[in-house]
């Protein structure tokens, strides 16, 4: 039984009893109570609002129907209590019945806290909360489908993608314009909040602004300069809607940590199509809310001093599943990225990651580096992306990540992979980054085809197709080539690309000397290190993200993919090559300078600095230190993979002996210990 049954016949609140005051606010003249309804075991939530005075009510109060009682008088000043006729003193009530515990928690006053939500925190905390805990949206769909409240609609654009409808908010009686409050609810489903908005939604946002303001002017005569239109974050329900209120009305939720002016939202997205996917958004939560609990469980509110990163662990408990995942990723070092290519998934991903770092500085290059590295996940699972539907592949990759990695890392990597998939399928969000990454994928395919055509030939195929693709990516020399047909600078950059591409064919010396069949390349080695760097990178400026992938600069991944680039000139020098440590370092430094000699200064430095950080291993450079650990760990993990594959017993023992005390970070020491135990058990059973 609901209080609303036969609501048209109700003349009073008979049968409704106060149980508890949940909230009262003098500023907004509002009180919220939990009530009991006779004949029902379910609670009710009643929101009471004292409305602004109307001229009619004021005239009624200033009459003989109003009782008056003096409280204080001093000279010309007096204070009185007035008891007007109920007709002149209405209170608006919004009644929710039957109400759930979620409704009660929503309105219960409790201490509030300010959260600064990064991209990482949204993906790892807020988004899972939204997916699990949001209120039912049936009532919203009822309005959109005209099944309910159709008579209240004041304007509608029925377009399913760019349309919306408008209706007065329940907080507004419509009696006067001064407290006008209208909501616009979009027709398009799936846009949960501000976080989902990108440049593909600009036509919808323009309509909301232009048509919404025009509709209010036509209906109520209020000009656009007297209307405040904004979006709440966090919203009260997760289907995009926009608030329109009279500028003079101090409406609830217009505070800076809650509302975002629609004009500002549009401006931000016009400048950066993915602005709301990457920016920090601040909002308040109260301690009664489940979202607060989700952040509490994530450790957001813990006051802690920064720990020494080398003492941090990557995962809690056993790391066996993490090592299994590394082995899956290791297959990308050897599996061709297509039936007609020799280049592997891992090698291709590595080259794209390096090319990402050579893009214009106006582009978020680190994000494209991450997308490039996770593109290799197409090779995870039972079949690669050449032989499966993308939807099935995404489901498979998601299952693998969630079953092998900590939840926060799995979620972040999967988010990147789905972004890669969407771009590959042509589902771009309109941002420069998406456009550039799509062009990068197409350039990589042209390079792969060009390399295949030139295989075994003395005369290489023409490079016109490659150069034209490089122009679209605005690589060095692109403008000179596009406007003056002068390819000298762009050709120098192509020479650099082709030179580092030799690392996709340069076999690592240690495996060759040990006569390993089909040994990994230097590029393949740096690729898996790069994945490790994505998963666990030091981020002192963002401790509350718990070293999360998207909350950090992924500096470790950057160092990983650059540290061996000089080997395309000097080769892979190992301790068995009888070259001193000093001589090796000098050769590498000279080679790296030669390699980047013709690159613009900012690109040369962006590649050279990570290389020198790895070489110098300065105290306190946590990302350089852990990258060195990733280097050694990838080597011993690869050694065990070859031992299992070749069935020659522990024939690569020398690599384990040389690294027995080499690791400095707690995380990688844990991986080493687990790997050594697994290897011992494996060979004890042979």
């Amino acid at each position: 039984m609901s209080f609303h049954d036969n609501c048209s016949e109700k003349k009073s609140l008979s049968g409704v009893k106060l149980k508890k005051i949940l909230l009262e606010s003098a500023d907004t003249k509002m009180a919220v109570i939990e009530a009991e309804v006779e004949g029902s075991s379910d609670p009710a939530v009643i929101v009471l609002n004292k409305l602004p005075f109307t001229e009619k009510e004021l005239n009624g109060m200033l009459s003989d129907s109003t009782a008056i009682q003096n409280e204080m008088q001093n000279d010309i000043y007096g204070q009185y209590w007035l008891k007007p006729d109920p007709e002149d003193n209405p209170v608006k009530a919004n009644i929710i019945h039957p109400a759930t515990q979620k409704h009660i928690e929503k309105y219960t006053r409790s201490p509030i806290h300010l959260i600064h939500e990064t991209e990482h925190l949204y993906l790892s905390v807020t988004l899972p909360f939204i997916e699990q805990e949001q209120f039912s949206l049936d009532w919203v769909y009822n309005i959109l489908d005209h099944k309910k409240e159709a008579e209240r609609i004041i304007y509608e654009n029925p377009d399913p993608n760019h349309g919306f409808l408008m209706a007065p908010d329940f907080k507004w009686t419509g009696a006067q314009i001064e407290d006008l409050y209208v909501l616009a609810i979009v027709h398009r489903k799936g846009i949960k909040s501000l976080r989902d908005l990108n440049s593909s939604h600009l036509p919808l946002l323009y309509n909301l602004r232009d048509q919404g303001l025009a509709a209010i002017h036509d209906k109520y005569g209020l000009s656009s300069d007297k209307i405040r239109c904004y979006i709440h974050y966090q919203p009260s329900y997760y289907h995009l809607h926009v608030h329109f209120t009279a500028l003079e009305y101090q409406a609830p939720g217009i505070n800076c940590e809650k509302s975002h002016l629609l004009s500002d939202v549009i401006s931000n997205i016009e400048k950066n199509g993915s602005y709301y996917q990457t920016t920090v958004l601040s909002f308040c939560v109260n301690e009664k809310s489940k979202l607060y609990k989700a952040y509490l469980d994530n450790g957001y509110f813990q006051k802690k001093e920064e720990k020494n990163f080398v003492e941090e662990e990557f995962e809690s408990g056993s790391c066996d599943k993490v090592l299994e995942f590394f082995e899956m990723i290791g297959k990308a070092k050897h599996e061709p990225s297509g039936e007609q290519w020799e280049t592997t998934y891992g090698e291709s991903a590595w080259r794209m990651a390096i090319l990402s770092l050579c893009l214009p500085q106006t582009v978020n290059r680190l994000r494209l580096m991450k997308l490039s590295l996770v593109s290799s996940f197409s090779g995870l699972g039972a079949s690669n992306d050449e032989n499966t539907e993308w939807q099935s592949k995404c489901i498979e990759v998601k299952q693998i990540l969630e079953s092998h990695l900590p939840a926060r890392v799995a979620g972040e990597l999967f988010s990147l992979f789905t972004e890669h998939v969407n771009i590959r399928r042509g589902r771009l969000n309109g941002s420069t980054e998406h456009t550039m990454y799509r062009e990068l994928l197409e350039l990589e395919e042209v390079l792969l085809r060009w390399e295949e055509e030139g295989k075994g030939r003395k005369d290489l195929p023409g490079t016109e197709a490659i150069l034209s693709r490089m122009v679209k990516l605005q690589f060095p020399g692109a403008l000179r080539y596009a406007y003056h047909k002068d390819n000298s600078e762009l050709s120098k950059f192509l020479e650099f690309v082709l030179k580092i591409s030799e690392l996709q064919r340069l076999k690592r010396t240690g495996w060759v000397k040990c006569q390993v069949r089909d040994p990994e390349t230097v590029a393949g080695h740096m690729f898996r290190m790069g994945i490790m760097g994505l998963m666990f990178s030091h981020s002192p400026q963002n401790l509350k993200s718990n070293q999360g992938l998207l909350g950090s600069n992924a500096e470790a991944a950057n160092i990983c993919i650059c540290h061996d680039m000089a080997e395309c000139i000097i080769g892979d020098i190992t301790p068995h090559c009888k070259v001193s440590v000093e001589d090796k370092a000098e050769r590498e430094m000279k080679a790296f300078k030669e390699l980047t000699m013709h690159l613009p200064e900012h690109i040369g430095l962006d590649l050279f600095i990570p290389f020198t950080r790895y070489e110098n291993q300065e105290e306190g450079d946590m990302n350089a230190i852990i990258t060195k650990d990733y280097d050694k760990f990838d080597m011993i993990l690869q050694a065990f993979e070859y031992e299992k594959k070749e069935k020659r017993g522990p024939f690569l023992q020398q690599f384990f002996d040389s690294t027995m005390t080499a690791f400095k970070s707690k995380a990688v020491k844990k991986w080493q210990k687990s790997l050594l135990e697994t290897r011992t058990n494996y060979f004890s059973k042979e």
Side-chain angles (χ1 to χ4, degrees), residues 116-145:
H116 302 290
E117 180 193 77
T118 63
E119 181 183 10
H120 158 71
L121 286 170
Y122 173 73
L123 291 170
S124 60
V125 184
T126 308
L127 183 58
F129 164 80
I130 293 171
E131 292 172 342
Q132 295 172 14
E133 301 293 339
Q134 66 170 300
F135 293 97
S136 169
L137 295 174
D138 289 346
W139 69 273
V140 176
Y141 302 148
N142 285 338
I143 296 174
L144 293 173
D145 295 338

Side-chain angles (χ1 to χ4, degrees), residues 203-220:
L204 169 62
L205 297 175
Y206 293 147
N207 286 348
L208 283 162
R209 179 192 62 191
D210 301 337
Q211 296 174 19
L213 291 172
I216 291 177
H217 178 267
D218 293 344
K219 179 73 174 178
Y220 303 111

Side-chain angles (χ1 to χ4, degrees), residues 526-546:
M526 287 191 284
F527 151 71
R528 183 160 65 179
M529 285 180 60
I531 295 293
M532 293 177 183
L534 282 187
M535 291 165 54
F536 200 46
S537 184
H538 183 45
S539 179
Q541 77 278 16
N542 191 22
L543 289 175
K544 288 182 178 178
S545 70
N546 198 18

Side-chain angles (χ1 to χ4, degrees), residues 28-94:
T28 59
K29 298 179 176 62
M30 178 182 74
V32 184
I33 64 172
E34 180 184 348
E36 298 174 344
V37 177
E38 186 177 350
S40 173
S41 59
D42 296 309
V45 170
I46 303 178
V47 183
L48 302 169
N49 288 96
K50 181 65 186 76
L51 302 176
F53 297 114
T54 66
E55 184 176 353
K56 177 179 177 296
E57 290 164 357
L58 291 173
N59 281 325
M61 286 185 184
L62 302 177
S63 69
D64 56 9
S65 65
T66 299
I68 185 170
Q69 179 180 338
N70 178 259
E71 281 287 306
M72 180 273 294
Q73 190 270 330
N74 183 0
D75 194 21
I76 64 173
Y77 302 101
Q79 187 178 85
Y80 300 84
W81 282 106
L82 302 183
K83 298 180 181 179
D85 188 286
E87 285 290 326
D88 301 320
N89 190 29
V91 174
K92 186 173 184 179
N94 291 329

Side-chain angles (χ1 to χ4, degrees), residues 365-377:
R365 293 174 292 165
L366 281 177
R367 185 166 190 85
L368 268 60
M369 176 196 75
K370 298 169 187 177
L371 289 171
S372 298
L373 289 172
V374 301
S375 70
S376 63
F377 291 3

Side-chain angles (χ1 to χ4, degrees), residues 144-207:
L144 293 173
D145 295 338
H146 292 210
K147 294 178 180 178
K148 297 286 186 181
E149 304 180 40
E151 71 284 355
R152 301 182 67 249
I153 297 172
I154 63 169
Y155 176 81
E156 182 170 17
N157 175 340
D159 187 283
N161 290 315
H162 304 142
F164 59 96
L165 61 76
M166 300 179 74
D169 187 272
F170 281 116
K171 300 180 189 68
W172 185 43
T173 64
Q176 55 189 30
I177 296 300
E178 287 76 11
D179 60 335
L180 176 140
Y181 201 138
V182 174
L183 278 183
I185 304 175
V186 304
H187 280 295
R188 185 171 174 177
K189 296 180 180 179
I191 310 176
K192 296 182 291 297
S193 73
L194 195 59
R195 278 287 184 197
D196 290 334
L197 293 176
N198 57 53
S199 55
S200 69
H201 300 113
L202 282 173
L204 169 62
L205 297 175
Y206 293 147
N207 286 348

